[in-house]
Amino acid sequence: MATSERVRTSSTTPQPPASASSPHRSLRTPILLVAGGVALAAMALAGAVGGIFAPLVGFDDGGALARWGVPVSRVILDVSASATIGLLLLAGTIVPERVSTDRRRAACRIAVVTGSVWVVASLAVIVFAMSNISGVSVTDPTFGGQLASALDFDYFRAVFISALVAVGATLCALASRTTTGMTWGAVLGLVALLVLSLTGHSGGAAAHDTAVNSLAVHLAASAVWLGGLIAVVVLRPVLGVDLPVVVERYSALAIWAYGGVVVSGVLNASLRIARPADLLTPYGMLLCAKVVTFFVLGVAGWRMRDHLIGRLEADHGDSRAFATLAGCEIALMALAQGVAVAMSRTAPPISQEASPDVVTSLTGYPDPGGPLEGLDWFTVWRPDWIFLAASILAVGLYLAGVLRLHRRGDSWPVHRTILWTLGWLAFVWTTSGAPGVYGRLTFSAHMVMHMMLTMGGPVIMAFGAPLTLASRTLRPRKDKTLGPREILLATAHSRWMNFWANPVVAGFNFAGSLYIFYFTHLFDLALRTHTGHVIMIVHFMLAGYVFAWSLVGVDPGPRRWPPSLRLVLLFATMSFHAFFGVVITSMSTLLGGDYFRQLNLPWVGDLMADQEKGGLITWGIGEFPMLVLALLTLATWMKSEEHEAKRHDRQAARDHDAALEAYNASLRQRGEALRRAEEAEEARYRARHEHAHRHGGSHHPDE
């Protein structure tokens, strides 16, 4: 950095140099071209090792243009998507706001360009992949007819939907003027990548859910990691004195991204590599190259966090050392992305083709061989890695927050920690235990899973008060960026949350979505597709949590109704919920009938009888948690009355019962006024009586 950009670290309120807010200062955008070039070169070399450019023997593959066009387009897509997400993420959550928002707007302007490249690359992937699959060259006059039918295939639909979401992220970069809008743009970008993860594994192959989940985490973490560092380097000339804090915040984010990349990579590799000898195959050699690259990147990241951040804080002129290391890291990350694209088109040692077994092709795992009996409910186990990881993360972060409170001398109720942990343990059992395994095989087990998702774990978690803990442990930011604390509190107090946490809306979402889900094609979609299954779990868990939160939650949030009204709403919701169970029990139509008949499990027996059993579970077992909620609402009501009484007692102790004295004084004043009125009336009575007697009249005194 220039000498004029150096500042004294002792200054409590450092002012940014003139260049920090100058939109005319040149940004180091060539790093984008470097990253793209390295990724393309790595893909070409790795593709040669994997043989992805060789023509298929006996098959038309669209020619060399298609064979090269797909991986080249995918490399450009990955690099531009990472840059777009990183720029928007930094603009919304990391870069401090000083004199103006020019730095953020500069990031958004570059994100518009990279986002546009992303969209074009997505469409190019569709074009070249369609040519590659159909065997018709892009230059062939008949190719237009082939391309018109592309959206009939799941792969092309996923890429096209991803491109549409990328358009939304690009529009956010173009139009956003606030950190919230920029952050939403980054979220849309991540969603677009998650959609792409659906194209990376055969839908009927074994462990399809693990493959898709691990690929989704891998893509998102890689994009945040690479894109964030690209954004820091691009914006370095205009960050000025804020460069150290930006690098430190990015470094903390990069640690999480690195962990996500490593864990998801190990899971994904375990589905494609069976034994050490597989590492000698082309796919295995590319995997080894990628592992070595990530190890070197881990060392470089540790060096940046352990050495360079402190030097940046002490001497802003040392930013050149940071830029050198960051540039090398970006080159290595781009190399890893190029190798990853080549790997995605290289045949792994373990076949990823759809299984001929019907049960495996529909569920992703084989028939367990028999019904659940006795201890089977607690011994059957098949980890759902995405929800298992989410549970470990939720409990781990909670315990870290409690530990931070204790270290600074603050207390936290032990029962809240226990309830939060038990709630997530219940969720793990629901998704990875017997209900999760058998929930896609029998309707009755599915309803056990559903009851636990909505009324098991969420009701217990609501008493953990995670938002209160987060607000007490996370450090607030004062530079108008959206840190974790700001995002959580803004979400909890947002208009959307006010709407969804309204007891009426929460109750309708809780009970009404049952009817919408099970009496439409959504149920069949959740059974047959991994995406539908994940959305179902997330929706019903959140619906149960928000409903419990609106009734008995201890976290701050939208204004709650009086306990009496909440109790009335709860009983109304219980009635709708119980009626749903009665309807299921008495139905003559099999829900998800085509799916369960296709499974054809010999140990299930009569499918209608199993559905009736599921209805009884919903009607009977499902009402027990509702009764618990009712009792808890009553307890909340009684506790609120008790707290109100104690509040009055404390107030009376502070002001020597001033309120009671004022009330008694008011009563005395009223009594005195009444006494004076009675005395006046009696005096008037005596006066009239004396007047009548004096004049000898016979009139009644009251006349």
Side-chain angles (χ1 to χ4, degrees), residues 215-484:
L215 182 58
V217 173
H218 202 75
L219 289 175
S222 299
V224 170
W225 189 16
L226 172 59
L229 191 54
I230 288 176
V232 174
V233 174
V234 167
L235 297 176
R236 184 174 72 91
V238 295
L239 289 177
V241 296
D242 291 321
L243 180 61
V245 70
V246 169
V247 173
E248 185 176 8
R249 288 175 180 175
Y250 163 76
S251 180
L253 187 63
I255 292 175
W256 287 100
Y258 186 81
V261 168
V262 171
V263 173
S264 60
V266 169
L267 283 175
N268 222 297
S270 68
L271 301 177
R272 293 165 169 81
I273 298 292
R275 55 189 185 278
D278 291 340
L279 296 176
L280 300 178
T281 63
Y283 186 91
M285 288 188 288
L286 295 179
L287 177 63
C288 290
K290 193 174 178 183
V291 170
V292 171
T293 303
F294 278 120
F295 175 77
V296 175
L297 282 168
V299 174
W302 170 81
R303 175 175 172 76
M304 178 184 293
R305 186 166 183 84
D306 195 55
H307 295 83
L308 280 183
I309 293 178
R311 290 167 60 183
L312 280 174
E313 291 174 347
D315 183 7
H316 293 276
D318 201 38
S319 65
R320 288 196 180 120
F322 158 75
T324 301
L325 180 59
C328 293
E329 282 194 61
I330 290 173
L332 286 174
M333 291 181 194
L335 186 150
Q337 281 206 339
V339 173
V341 170
M343 287 177 63
S344 68
R345 297 185 63 78
T346 303
I350 298 179
S351 174
Q352 305 298 299
E353 296 298 324
S355 172
D357 176 55
V358 175
V359 177
T360 303
S361 66
L362 288 176
T363 64
Y365 50 90
D367 179 2
L372 287 167
E373 296 177 350
L375 291 178
D376 290 344
W377 281 99
F378 304 100
T379 57
V380 172
W381 178 260
R382 182 181 180 273
D384 190 319
W385 293 107
I386 191 70
F387 293 123
L388 179 61
S391 303
I392 294 173
L393 194 61
V395 175
L397 290 175
Y398 191 97
L399 294 178
V402 173
L403 183 61
R404 177 177 288 184
L405 281 181
H406 284 299
R407 282 178 175 173
R408 73 185 190 197
D410 295 335
S411 62
W412 183 257
V414 176
H415 73 275
R416 290 185 179 177
T417 305
I418 295 174
L419 290 173
W420 179 256
T421 305
L422 287 177
W424 282 104
L425 287 176
F427 179 72
V428 169
W429 177 72
T430 303
T431 55
S432 297
V437 174
Y438 279 78
R440 297 182 72 174
L441 300 176
T442 68
F443 185 83
S444 56
H446 176 86
M447 293 314 297
V448 173
M449 179 178 70
H450 180 93
M451 294 300 104
M452 287 298 299
L453 282 176
T454 54
M455 293 182 288
V459 174
I460 304 174
M461 293 176 199
F463 290 93
L467 187 61
T468 301
L469 178 64
S471 64
R472 291 179 60 184
T473 55
L474 293 174
R475 296 183 181 89
R477 291 188 182 178
K478 300 179 180 180
D479 53 12
K480 299 182 181 180
T481 54
L482 294 177

